Amino acid sequence: MADVVVLYVVINQEGLRVPMKPYHLLDFSDPDTITICKTMSDADMGGFSKVALEQVPATASEPAHARFHGSISIDLPPDRPQVQRSGYAAWRNKDRGPTLFGKSLWDVDPYLFLALRIKSDGRKYFVNVQTESIVYTDIHQHRLYAQRPGEWETVVFSWSDFVRTNYGQVVEPQNEIMKQKVRTIGIGLTDRVPGPFDLRVAGIWATNRMDDADAHSKESESSAID
């Protein structure tokens, strides 16, 4: 009778664990967080949109947060005929300084979702993520769906649903977002609807808990940037 060899495979249970605590990326309860962020708008190219990002202290009814606000104008600068399109505003964290081990980047690979605590005016905002992509100007985007405009809520969506874009256009191939090397995170408004806007953001974090959300962020939509 042939010998029977039994192979015991020992699985390291520690290695199977996934982090359940949130990984805070931008926490606006810390007033210093606002100082590492920058704003952008068509005014950088001579346009007339206005944008501000301001720290708002906590009150009895609201958490400390960043207020992203201003007004959108689609008027083109008369002295710059090369500018053919206007009407956007955005903010993101600044590129962080180098460390002894290279660039300072976020590694969110152990996390399935991105979460934001927001109070929206209901306009068409996008979450923008830059990584150490081969194409430096690539931005991965996801529509920031607000279920309850005018109220504080937490929205959560999957990292895998971000769409690769470049200069506002969807590009192919749709490479998976480089979660190990996230460089910047921010929010933009590109609906080109003239008038005021006002979005409040208390924090942005990576998580493995869908129940961080107050309501599902329409993850079943056919496109994350529709």
Side-chain angles (χ1 to χ4, degrees), residues 2 38 44 46 56 72 76 113 118 120 150 154 185 224:
K38 61 182 289 186
D44 300 330
V56 179
I72 294 296
L76 298 175
F113 309 108
I118 63 167
S120 176
T154 302
I185 292 180

Side-chain angles (χ1 to χ4, degrees), residues 35-161:
T35 66
I36 65 167
C37 297
K38 61 182 289 186
T39 59
M40 300 151 284
S41 75
D42 57 65
D44 300 330
M45 300 185 300
F48 301 98
S49 295
K50 297 180 180 179
V51 60
L53 186 69
E54 301 170 345
Q55 176 73 23
V56 179
T59 66
S61 58
E62 290 195 318
H65 61 274
R67 182 188 178 201
F68 173 50
H69 66 106
S71 62
I72 294 296
S73 170
I74 58 173
D75 293 338
L76 298 175
D79 56 345
R80 296 192 180 184
Q82 73 275 17
V83 177
Q84 298 294 314
R85 187 176 178 87
S86 186
Y88 73 89
W91 69 269
R92 66 169 176 85
N93 66 286
K94 300 173 185 176
D95 289 321
R96 294 178 291 168
T99 69
L100 293 175
F101 305 101
K103 289 186 178 181
S104 182
L105 304 168
W106 286 303
D107 181 2
V108 297
D109 197 44
Y111 300 89
L112 296 175
F113 309 108
L114 182 70
L116 301 91
R117 184 69 176 168
I118 63 167
K119 183 167 75 170
S120 176
D121 57 6
R123 293 191 62 157
K124 190 176 180 180
Y125 298 94
F126 287 87
V127 178
N128 300 322
V129 176
Q130 292 177 295
T131 70
E132 286 295 282
S133 172
I134 295 176
V135 181
Y136 191 78
T137 53
D138 276 356
I139 295 178
H140 282 79
Q141 294 187 309
H142 196 295
R143 175 78 182 275
L144 181 55
Y145 293 106
Q147 304 293 327
R148 300 195 302 274
E151 301 179 21
W152 283 101
E153 61 182 308
T154 302
V155 294
V156 177
F157 35 76
S158 172
W159 288 105
S160 63
D161 286 342

